[in-house]
Amino acid sequence: MLSGKRILLIIGGGIAAYKALELIRLVQKAGGSVVPVLTRAGSQFVTPLSVGALAGAKVYQDLFDLTDEAEMGHIQLSRAADLVVVAPATADLLAKMAGGRADDLASTLLLATDKRTLVAPAMNVRMWDHPATRRNLAALRGDGVLVVGPDEGEMACGEFGPGRMAEPPAIVAAIGAALGPGDGSGPLAGRHVLVTSGPTHEPIDPVRYIANRSSGAQGAAIGAALRDLGARVTFVTGPAAVPAPSGVTVVAVETAAEMAAAVAAALPADAAVMAAAVADWRVANAAGEKLKKGAAGIGPALEFAENPDILAQLSQSAQRPRLVVGFAAETTDVVAHATAKRARKGCDWIVANDVSPGTGIMGGAENAVTLITGAGAETWPRMGKDAVARQLALRIADALAG
Ligand code: C5P
């Protein structure tokens, strides 16, 4: 998926620099090539020898290396790439970038480039939380710099919190998304993918309804990630708290019954990702008029009828997409329940997440998922919903290519 793409990789000075080696390997596996730049601090953590050997390329380190200047000036070096990636991006590198400094090779390349830049921050949690870092990051985002991570977790310094560099597969996914087409290319070009997202609203009467806490954030991120890989996306969404992604065909629905109809109408599709939190029941005796308070002080008795299971129906449909992916929001025995759900619903994969109170996942920015396929269960590290979406989109592209 990174076929023929050239990544200028700036390796900053942090303990996470060792992960840059894995990143080089993964970029190459995806068909791309890496031109490595090692900062002085970076060379305290990984050696130029190992970086150069893995990249199969010269490692650039010094601005005033005349041979390099003769061979390829820093301007040219920064522009020959398709994307500039900084991993790990230390607090100091981010500060330099935000300030427009150019006092060494890395910062000069970052200032001279005409390509997009993706940073993977890595630092101690307090440095990450510091107002100066917040300010620098906001400025960089404003400049159009892309950011992946950091993840939350145990840090090398013994503290806990956000600051761990994103895992290399997530960085590769972000690279793929950054280079993503919009030009009819990409691994999902020519594919139609159907995504459902958000909650459903089941009316009680014309003004009241039953809903759930799904924000639609994960579904929207999946729609965007599939689009970035070149897919034509039909995005069927209930009333979500987050906006639908741009560049996709949005079908807005309210109830599960409407969603089922919209899904059927969107077929055929090459793949479907059913990320919606569909209400299991609708109110069977929904009132046509607004319900009034009774004189006796007793509330109305609601009767429920089961909604159609859209995922199960799609999995059995004559027009079944080649790959059907369901979601499972569980609070206990996540893997066991999700594995049973995969079999029961007849879908190919289940993306299971633990939505127990306290995980902060429902409505939050992060997700911790286990992917259940025919081959077994794979637990992914906790990461941003965007990163989960990019990784899932890449897996879908792989599956449809095979
Ligand atoms: O059974 P449960 O609701 O936990 O299953 C979740 C998965 O099934 C999700 O992919 C969801 O979109 C889908 N689903 C559905 N129709 C329903 C209920 C759930 O498509 N009525």
Side-chain angles (χ1 to χ4, degrees), residues 196 274-276 278-280 307-311 326-327 341 345:
T196 67
M274 312 297 269
V278 185
D280 288 322
N307 270 330
D309 191 312
I310 306 170
L311 176 60
F327 269 71
K341 190 167 289 179
K345 304 244 186 187

Side-chain angles (χ1 to χ4, degrees), residues 30-41:
S33 62
V34 173
V35 177
V37 174
L38 195 55
T39 66
R40 228 152 94 102

